[in-house]
Structures are given as C-alpha cells and as structure tokens.
Amino acid sequence: MIYLDANIFAYSFLSEDEKAHLCRKILAKVADKEIAAFTSALTWDEITWAARKNLGLEDAKEEGRKFAEFPFLNILDANSIIIGIAQQLVERYGIKPRDAIHAATAIANGIRELVSDDPDFDAIKEIKRVPIEKFR
C-alpha cells in the first residue's frame, strides 16, 4: 500500500527523461493491479494545473480526464479531518500546505510510504518518503 504524490503523475506526462520513464512504470504497476496505490483528490488539481501551465488547456483537460479514470487508483477525499492533521503537520514540521495535505491524507488512511521526488516529506516522522528512483 503506497501513497503517490502528484509529481508522479506530472512527471509522467511533462518529460521524457529517466524520471518520467520511472513514473510511467510506477503508474503501469498501479493499472496492472501489481500495487495498491492511493492519492488525494488534491492531486487532480495539481496535475491539471501543471498540464495547463506547461502544455495548454486541451492537454490539461486530457490529463485531468486520464487521472479521474485511472484504473485501480484509490482517490481519497480531502476533508476536515485531513485538514486538521495537515495543520498539525505544518505547525510541527513547517512544511508547505499542499505537502501537508498529501502527508495528512496518507497518515489518516494508515499509509506509511509516500512515493515522491520531493525531499520536503523527509522531515515528517509519521511517513517514509520513497524516492522515485528507489521505488521497486
């Protein structure tokens, strides 16, 4: 059981480098039901914004649709409980609000591994960040 940060999805369509290739492999494992993967509803916002900013509106529509229909991906709500935990994480670790929502979503759902390229998650003791390059 893993939590996928938004950058896993964004890298998969914004680049053709090795990191993008690894992200596409991770997502293929989810689609093939090889791994149980979870993410926040907030991820949709982040990836459609990244697509719109870097690729344009039509690509943003397509990437948002692909995310919403992604097979076997568990999309978790951001609710008042998550926001309460996120607030505690911001106060305890000084992390960014979006990172706090992602971490809080994982923590509240009993997920202890978060796959991300963002080292800011390393400060959070309640979860373990798994770098993209080290995910198997």
Side-chain angles (χ1 to χ4, degrees):
M1 195 160 76
I2 60 165
Y3 185 94
L4 298 178
D5 188 20
N7 60 33
I8 304 301
F9 299 92
Y11 287 145
S12 75
F13 63 79
L14 288 177
S15 182
E16 290 300 324
D17 62 9
E18 180 62 22
K19 189 178 295 184
H21 175 73
L22 291 171
C23 289
R24 287 191 288 273
K25 282 177 66 174
I26 291 168
L27 294 174
K29 288 182 179 200
V30 174
D32 291 340
K33 274 184 111 172
E34 292 179 36
I35 53 175
F38 298 79
T39 196
S40 172
L42 176 66
T43 301
W44 175 87
D45 171 69
E46 291 188 64
I47 66 165
T48 55
W49 173 249
R52 185 175 182 140
K53 181 179 168 189
N54 293 287
L55 306 172
L57 177 59
E58 292 307 312
D59 286 325
K61 290 178 187 178
E62 178 64 21
E63 293 304 329
R65 184 179 311 105
K66 286 185 342 191
F67 174 81
E69 297 171 353
F70 201 93
F72 307 112
L73 176 65
N74 299 284
I75 301 173
L76 303 169
D77 291 334
N79 56 36
S80 60
I81 293 168
I82 301 299
I83 299 306
I85 296 168
Q87 179 64 35
Q88 291 172 2
L89 294 172
V90 167
E91 291 174 6
R92 189 175 304 136
Y93 301 112
I95 60 175
K96 296 176 206 154
R98 286 181 188 259
D99 290 346
I101 292 171
H102 285 295
T105 303
I107 292 164
N109 287 280
I111 304 164
R112 297 295 173 240
E113 291 190 325
L114 188 149
V115 182
S116 177
D117 197 41
D118 187 345
D120 291 348
F121 289 110
D122 293 341
I124 304 168
K125 308 234 181 303
E126 294 85 351
I127 58 170
K128 175 186 176 197
R129 179 179 72 96
V130 179
I132 294 167
E133 297 82 11
K134 296 196 178 186
F135 182 80
R136 298 288 172 230

